Amino acid sequence: MLRLLDQRLLPGRLVWRDCPDAAAAAAAIRSMVVRGAPAIGITAAFGLAAEFARAPASGDAAVTCFEAAAGRLHDTRPTAANVRYAVERMRARLDGLLDLGASPAEVASGLEAEAEAIFAEDLAANHRIGAFGAGLLPRTAGRKARILTHCNAGALATAGYGTALGVVRAVAESGREVEVFAPETRPYLQGARLTAWELLEDRIPVTLITDGMVGSLFAVRGLDLVVVGADRIAANGDAANKIGTYQSALIAKAWDVPFLVAAPFSTVDLRAPSGAAIPIEERAPEEITEFAGAPVAPDGVGVWNPAFDVTPARLITAIVTDRGVARPPYEQTLRSLSPA
């Protein structure tokens, strides 16, 4: 059975949630029990596998069951490309099993094996991303390297190790001293609750700041690198990530500090020509007007709550994937990394 660590309760409590079927997996994604583009893709894959383990089917019944479950999962978080990637992989595996005349039990077993493969591939991809990205950190003399990230692109957002935090971990494992600055990431506080917790667990120095302090941080403390994750990367290199990423990219550009996007190639959507084609999820106004269930804004105030923003490719120094590093022009370099 799929079991998820409830990230909404971190760092205060470690609570695990069971997801016996695709509907439960979809609810967990939608409510942000689990979040992070690679992690929700993996959850979708295991949710589909759990659906067939619970009620295995074959032939037309299997296709009907799959499409109903896939539809529930596909619509949970529209910005992230990884859910679609996982659903398409699982669909291809199902088609292959049915073409071979697999029994219902064989279908269930095959889909579980495919979900396990997606998980293992993501973990290996994270380590490759870390290795590629660590080599892009500028050399510093006589002090720790200072890195800014945003939101949480660590082990909690992936199969393990992380994308942006995978780069940080790889730097630390290489023996270089590093200090990370983590904005709180309003309104859901993934930076404060998750990134800070992960790094402290790994004994990597981390300093928490508010989202509005990023400009002053560059001016007063100085930074060597910005590295963030992504939920979807368009063919031209535009990258959607947690709201607040765009302003960090603008400030990094003003200070001539490298700005890296780190993500597995499954996050790249070559079917989206630019960021304008990336759907941006808008979430409930209560995430802004309330804190821990208590109102912090007057009744009736208008609220705009996009969960993501799109950083234009012109602000991105490099996109670090598990297949290698892409640099401008991204239309060419991203396609060169795509499997044939």
Side-chain angles (χ1 to χ4, degrees):
M1 179 184 295
L2 173 64
R3 175 167 288 183
L4 299 171
L5 177 63
D6 192 336
Q7 297 187 29
R8 301 170 303 180
L9 305 179
L10 292 172
R13 290 191 292 155
L14 295 178
V15 176
W16 294 87
R17 308 287 184 190
D18 290 338
C19 296
D21 53 29
I29 294 170
R30 189 177 295 108
S31 65
M32 295 184 71
V33 168
V34 61
R35 29 67 52 204
I40 65 175
I42 293 165
T43 298
F46 277 106
L48 289 169
E51 187 77 13
F52 278 80
R54 183 181 64 88
S58 62
D60 292 343
V63 174
T64 300
C65 175
F66 182 94
E67 293 304 334
R72 284 191 292 267
L73 290 159
H74 191 272
D75 296 337
T76 51
R77 303 293 305 278
T79 302
N82 301 67
V83 172
R84 185 175 71 185
Y85 167 80
V87 168
E88 289 178 351
R89 281 241 343 224
M90 296 293 280
R91 181 182 285 114
R93 184 62 184 270
L94 174 64
D95 290 345
L97 290 164
L98 295 179
D99 287 345
L100 292 172
S103 68
E106 290 170 333
V107 168
S109 177
L111 291 177
E112 182 177 355
E114 189 69 17
E116 293 280 2
I118 291 171
F119 178 92
E121 289 168 18
D122 185 72
L123 183 57
N126 291 342
H127 283 275
R128 291 195 295 274
I129 289 167
F132 286 134
L136 301 179
L137 177 65
R139 301 303 304 182
T140 55
R143 62 169 177 82
K144 296 177 181 177
R146 297 171 182 149
I147 299 176
L148 175 73
T149 189
H150 189 69
C151 193
N152 174 263
L156 291 167
T158 63
Y161 201 71
T163 54
L165 291 194
V167 173
V168 171
R169 287 187 167 103
V171 170
E173 290 165 4
S174 74
R176 292 188 64 181
E177 289 191 302
V178 61
E179 179 180 12
V180 178
F181 292 88
E184 59 185 346
T185 320
R186 288 286 301 153
Y188 226 75
L189 302 178
Q190 296 98 321
R193 295 186 303 103
L194 306 180
T195 292
W197 179 72
E198 274 199 43
L199 292 173
L200 288 174
E201 287 288 301
D202 277 4
R203 299 186 179 180
I204 295 174
V206 56
T207 298
L208 182 65
I209 62 173
T210 70
D211 290 9
M213 294 177 182
V214 173
S216 291
L217 177 68
F218 275 86
V220 176
R221 299 292 294 274
L223 290 166
D224 302 296
L225 183 72
V226 182
V227 59
V228 300
D231 285 75
R232 191 181 301 231
I233 300 169
N236 73 336
D238 294 348
N241 193 49
K242 185 57 58 185
I243 192 75
T245 302
Y246 184 13
Q247 65 189 21
S248 293
L250 285 166
I251 298 168
K253 187 72 169 180
W255 286 91
D256 197 26
V257 170
F259 184 95
L260 307 183
V261 172
F265 202 83
S266 57
T267 302
V268 177
D269 182 4
L270 295 178
R271 287 173 283 190
S274 72
I278 298 176
I280 299 298
E281 175 188 3
E282 294 192 23
R283 295 185 59 82
E286 290 78 16
E287 291 183 355
I288 294 178
T289 60
E290 298 178 2
F291 184 78
V296 294
D299 288 342
V301 67
V303 173
W304 182 51
N305 185 20
F308 305 92
D309 55 27
V310 176
T311 298
R314 60 183 171 81
L315 300 177
I316 299 171
T317 307
I319 297 173
V320 185
T321 80
D322 53 307
R323 296 179 181 275
V325 178
R327 297 181 181 273
Y330 293 114
E331 291 90 343
Q332 298 175 23
T333 56
L334 285 174
R335 288 192 183 278
S336 73
L337 296 174
S338 178

